[in-house]
Amino acid sequence: MIPTWAQIGYLVAAVCFIVALKALSNPRTARTGNLVGAAGAVLAVLITFAAYKPDHLAPILIALIIGTIGGVIGSRRVQMTQMPQLVALFNGVGGGAAALVALLELGEVSADATVAAIATAFTILVGAISFSGSVVTFAKLQELMTTRPVTFPGLPVLFVASILGGVALGVWLVSDPRVWVGILLCLVGLAIGVMLVLPVGGADVPIVISLLNAFTGLTVAAGGYVLGNTLLLIAGTLVGAAGTLLTKLMADAMGRSVFNILFGAVRGGSTLGGGTASERPVISGGPEDVAILLGYANRVIVVPGYGLAVAQAQHTLRDLVDELQSRGVKVDYAIHPVAGRMPGHMNVLLAEAQVPYEQLREMDDINGDFKSTDVVLVVGANDVVNPAARNTPSAPIYGMPILNADEAQRVIFLKRSMRPGFAGIENELLYDPRTTLLFGDARESLTKLLGALKTV
């Protein structure tokens, strides 16, 4: 029986999680929300030690210390460009931990406790799917394997057979909760997770991360039921609901269904294009040319993308914008919902450079302004301004809402090369007579551009 004081403490921790989730919805309060959530987690751990007085305390503390050190070092050293990979790993660890706990609890589940057995089977299967799927998403984003969809003959049949096998093993486990059946169910779940993510192209992997995050939340909630822990039930439900909503919102932002994202390649489509650079002529310029275009503009919109994160050029971009504003130029940042590698990637990146939140405008809010904009400065973005999403039905991004950069008077692209974006298709806007390209590393190009602007 959990003491009353422990139940109250768990309730406080649950409130911390709810407050944290709400605070994370706004960049201004996100940091505070993160700290509140962390405080709730620490409180929950301390209460658990005090209330349950677990056996084998020494190895538990050693594991906590190792995990804490690894988490701190990993989080502090990770680059902003690698944040989605870190999220995938953390998510996978959560799903794997839930599956292991459920396996260990099998010995405590009696044959007549049907609901508990169902929750245990669900946790094992879905937790294993989340773990192996997250590992594959990490490998794709880290480019340890190809980012292109991976399919092979018979994959759909094998995938469906694995799901049916998982359901059959789950039913077996409910009727006869044996550990070896649980282990088989876990192995089938690991296989399903791999086959679920392999056919997904690199541009769609962040959506799969969000979906797997929802899976992990559901397994934690089910694990909370098995363990009789209300806090886990609440926390898991919050994560599951948030992950599900985020997955739907991201899919809508790309103009596609979750089913198409997951199984488009299996059905014969693809989430990636050819991935080869074109040799068609483009208009390129130097920092001085671009500085003149920006310096004499009245209205400028900046479109940041993954290339900005790779170059860690957010501070230099902020300096450039400050210089433009000191000249009376009105400047805003246009933020696409899936710019970068995860939702909010650009918001967090620009927040590092102390960019005022009022200048960060979402796609739906700013799209109508492009027609009255003198210059659009695209820094490291590609697919989110690609007109193929509107004009080319055969394009893998067709139907995805984009920023209307092509409606501006002039467009400037800062690019390393003519290599296509993550979706692997050409951007016709690069070949538009109104477009000027400034080649080079984003930070170096912005530094030269800032110097040239000061002389205009």
Side-chain angles (χ1 to χ4, degrees), residues 337-358:
V338 293
R341 291 292 182 269
M342 62 190 300
H345 199 169
M346 294 300 103
N347 301 70
V348 174
L349 189 72
L350 294 170
E352 284 187 353
Q354 302 298 312
V355 173
Y357 179 63
E358 293 76 14

Side-chain angles (χ1 to χ4, degrees), residues 21 55 96 107 122 125 231 269 289 307 323 334 337 345 355 422 434 446 452:
L21 189 61
D55 298 326
F122 175 85
L125 178 62
L231 180 62
D289 305 314
E323 176 66 23
H345 199 169
V355 173
F422 214 46
R434 298 168 296 157
L446 287 170

Side-chain angles (χ1 to χ4, degrees), residues 97-378:
L100 287 176
V101 169
L103 279 172
L104 293 173
E105 286 295 313
L106 268 179
E108 306 296 326
V109 178
S110 60
D112 57 345
T114 305
V115 178
I118 292 173
T120 303
F122 175 85
T123 303
I124 293 172
L125 178 62
V126 181
I129 292 173
S130 179
F131 174 76
S132 60
S134 296
V135 170
V136 177
T137 61
F138 168 82
K140 280 179 174 282
L141 289 175
Q142 195 65 18
E143 297 186 357
L144 299 177
M145 62 178 294
T146 178
T147 60
R148 299 186 65 80
V150 177
T151 60
F152 54 85
L155 174 60
V157 175
L158 183 59
F159 182 72
V160 172
S162 298
I163 292 178
L164 294 177
V167 172
L169 285 170
V171 172
W172 187 357
L173 188 67
V174 171
S175 61
D176 187 14
R178 296 177 181 269
V179 175
W180 68 269
V181 179
I183 293 174
L184 283 178
L185 181 62
C186 184
L187 293 175
V188 170
L190 292 173
I192 293 173
V194 172
M195 289 186 286
L196 178 69
V197 181
L198 279 180
V200 178
D204 296 329
V205 166
I207 296 180
V208 180
I209 292 177
S210 178
L211 179 63
L212 294 174
N213 184 55
F215 285 1
T216 295
L218 294 175
T219 60
V220 171
Y225 179 85
V226 172
L227 296 172
N229 191 308
T230 305
L231 180 62
L232 284 178
L233 189 60
I234 294 173
T237 302
L238 288 172
V239 173
T244 301
L245 289 172
L246 181 59
T247 302
K248 180 66 167 59
L249 290 172
M250 291 176 68
D252 290 344
M254 298 186 72
R256 295 159 61 202
S257 67
V258 176
F259 185 86
N260 176 266
I261 290 167
L262 292 175
F263 305 110
V266 174
R267 296 166 59 192
S270 175
T271 55
L272 286 177
T276 57
S278 173
E279 295 184 358
R280 295 160 59 187
V282 295
I283 300 173
S284 62
E288 296 78 12
D289 305 314
V290 174
I292 292 173
L293 290 175
L294 291 173
Y296 289 98
N298 293 314
R299 179 79 165 90
V300 173
I301 294 179
V302 178
V303 178
Y306 185 66
L308 178 70
V310 171
Q312 286 293 287
Q314 61 270 27
H315 296 281
T316 313
L317 178 60
R318 163 71 190 274
D319 293 339
L320 177 69
V321 171
D322 286 348
E323 176 66 23
L324 287 172
Q325 289 180 319
S326 70
R327 295 166 172 260
V329 181
K330 179 175 172 53
V331 185
D332 285 309
Y333 298 81
I335 308 299
H336 192 280
V338 293
R341 291 292 182 269
M342 62 190 300
H345 199 169
M346 294 300 103
N347 301 70
V348 174
L349 189 72
L350 294 170
E352 284 187 353
Q354 302 298 312
V355 173
Y357 179 63
E358 293 76 14
Q359 288 183 262
L360 306 182
R361 298 180 58 190
E362 301 297 328
M363 177 180 65
D364 293 339
D365 178 46
I366 201 172
N367 252 352
D369 292 3
F370 282 98
K371 289 181 179 179
S372 58
T373 298
D374 298 308
V375 179
V376 173
L377 178 63
V378 183

